[in-house]
Amino acid sequence: MLAAAWFLSYCDRVNLSVAAVSMQAQFGWAEATKGWVMASVFVGYIASQLAGGVIALRIGAVRAVGLGVLGFSFATLATPAAATHSLGTLVALRITLGAFEGLVIPATYSLVGAWAAPNERARLIAIVASGATLGAPGGLALSGVLDDQFGWPAVFHAFGAIGLVWVFFWICIAGKSGEGAVADRAGAKPAGDGATLPVLRMLSHPALWAAAAAKFGLNWIVYVFIAWLPSYYSAVQNTEIAASAMLSALPWLSMTLMLHISAMRADRMLTSGMDPTFVRKAMQAVGIGGGIVFLLLAPLAASPLQAALCTCAATGFLAFCFSGADAAMLDMALRRRGVIGGFANALGNFPGIVAIPLIGWSIDLTGSYSAGFVSSAAVGALSLFVWLRYGVARRVFE
């Protein structure tokens, strides 16, 4: 169910990337305007991340997940009406959608950390994160078909309705388990005991900022792909909207496969007695390093096939990061994993606000996607340096 929640969250995040091509033609948006519309969801998403971790502590992670999916599903359903009303209404609704999505991720960290022993966390993260990596291609591919066959409003009506169905089953299934079912195997209490958060001590620890920096670099590259690959294939490779959406989906299938391969490798390394910090740093280095190489090769692609191969290889390597810094955030605490995950995701998702419109601006300025790919590689390299220098995979908070 958590994987399905992440699936829907990413579908509702990327469907605008496909629908925006038709919406741009209807409403007369410039590329930069389209970029800001796509980026607006991350304003709410970032703003609610830390709050999401606190809410998971206060009301329980199970309720926080359900509330988040209910909210972003209603917002998705209302998107066509908001877009028709005005650009400002659309942006405000996308911010609201992002705010509800921001509740789901930190609550998930609380649940996953409670369920899994250290040498199982990478695999459990891989299962849940598969929802995101399948949600990206699923959302892109299905959005392309819906847009082509029924028009762009159908994209949002379909995914919003599916989200409400998910909420019904979540109430039926998760309501029976209760918060007591997620007590930590290492002895931590379930979320919701209302303990005071040592915010200043947490913010002063460099490991927390290193995790946020690692998430920042990974997400910069990921969000550039999510938001701009359909437009890239359409403008540079001269493909139709439906074909652009299908080609843009392939890299996320590659990432899904490599999520599980890298997670099994990381957990085997831990089981063999290797130092957890070394394992998490090695996974992050392989992920960002390999991703950068193929990200730089992508602008040189001379055909849609070559472009697809480069982007598939890039996202395949990036999957290693989920067994790196992402898993390390679960190693850093017991009860406050959701707060750590929320903080790191809050800072780590600023690329959604910065990178997406920045790429649109660079396209308007240069007429090329190359500058955006090169700058993304530079950001990824810097984030890796910070993580290797300051990151840890041991308990530093309660």
Side-chain angles (χ1 to χ4, degrees):
M1 290 296 290
L2 286 174
W6 280 40
F7 177 89
L8 291 170
S9 175
Y10 270 72
C11 282
D12 290 347
R13 203 176 307 174
V14 305
N15 54 17
L16 184 62
S17 300
V18 176
V21 177
S22 298
M23 296 169 75
Q24 181 182 24
Q26 178 175 336
F27 299 116
W29 296 340
E31 290 293 334
T33 301
K34 184 171 71 172
W36 281 112
V37 172
M38 291 190 294
S40 60
V41 66
F42 296 100
V43 176
Y45 185 71
I46 291 171
S48 65
Q49 282 286 326
L50 186 56
V54 176
I55 289 171
L57 277 172
R58 296 296 187 262
I59 71 172
V62 169
R63 293 188 183 94
V65 171
L67 177 63
V69 178
L70 180 66
F72 72 66
S73 297
F74 273 120
T76 300
L77 278 171
T79 297
T84 303
H85 184 271
S86 69
L87 180 63
T89 303
L90 174 61
V91 170
L93 184 68
R94 293 293 292 180
I95 292 173
T96 302
L97 186 151
F100 279 105
E101 287 193 343
L103 300 181
V104 176
I105 306 303
T108 298
Y109 277 105
S110 294
L111 294 174
V112 170
W115 288 333
N119 64 338
E120 299 172 354
R121 286 173 184 158
R123 278 171 289 170
L124 197 54
I125 288 176
I127 292 172
V128 177
S130 293
T133 56
L134 290 175
L140 290 167
L142 293 175
S143 295
V145 173
L146 290 168
D147 187 312
D148 186 57
Q149 296 295 321
F150 305 104
W152 65 265
V155 173
F156 303 101
H157 292 153
F159 286 116
I162 294 172
L164 297 183
V165 173
W166 181 95
V167 172
F168 171 78
F169 283 104
W170 181 251
I171 293 172
C172 294
I173 296 172
K176 295 179 181 179
S177 65
E179 292 295 325
V182 298
D184 197 293
R185 288 168 56 174
K189 299 176 182 178
D193 65 354
T196 302
L197 297 176
V199 176
L200 293 179
R201 186 171 70 85
M202 294 179 73
L203 293 178
S204 66
H205 203 293
L208 183 61
W209 293 93
K215 197 71 175 177
F216 185 96
L218 170 64
N219 284 348
W220 186 291
I221 300 173
V222 168
Y223 289 150
V224 165
F225 280 166
I226 287 177
W228 287 106
L229 273 184
S231 298
Y232 166 77
Y233 281 114
S234 178
V236 178
Q237 302 297 340
N238 298 314
T239 58
E240 299 295 329
I241 292 178
S244 297
M246 292 299 294
L247 288 171
S248 300
L250 293 177
W252 311 111
L253 299 179
S254 171
M255 177 176 271
T256 302
L257 174 63
M258 294 307 298
L259 265 175
H260 297 281
I261 293 175
S262 60
M264 288 187 291
R265 178 57 183 164
D267 285 346
R268 282 199 298 267
M269 292 168 70
L270 290 172
T271 302
S272 69
M274 298 184 70
D275 176 64
T277 296
F278 172 81
V279 173
R280 304 307 186 201
K281 289 185 175 181
M283 292 293 107
Q284 194 77 13
V286 171
I288 294 295
I292 286 174
V293 170
F294 287 97
L295 179 66
L296 293 175
L297 291 174
L300 305 178
S303 68
L305 176 60
Q306 291 181 10
L309 290 174
C310 287
T311 53
C312 284
T315 53
F317 274 104
L318 291 174
F320 280 75
C321 297
F322 288 91
S323 298
D326 268 55
M329 287 189 283
L330 303 184
D331 300 328
M332 290 167 59
L334 283 177
R335 293 171 49 255
R336 296 186 171 89
R337 296 184 182 101
V339 177
I340 292 174
F343 177 82
N345 272 284
L347 294 186
N349 277 280
F350 267 99
I353 297 176
V354 178
I356 295 175
L358 182 63
I359 300 302
W361 173 79
S362 69
I363 295 169
D364 285 336
L365 184 65
T366 66
S368 171
Y369 285 77
S370 298
F373 284 12
V374 172
S375 62
S376 299
V379 172
L382 180 60
S383 75
L384 178 59
F385 170 79
V386 174
W387 171 249
L388 293 178
R389 176 67 178 83
Y390 297 105
V392 299
R394 56 180 173 79
R395 190 184 306 174
V396 293
F397 306 112
E398 182 183 351

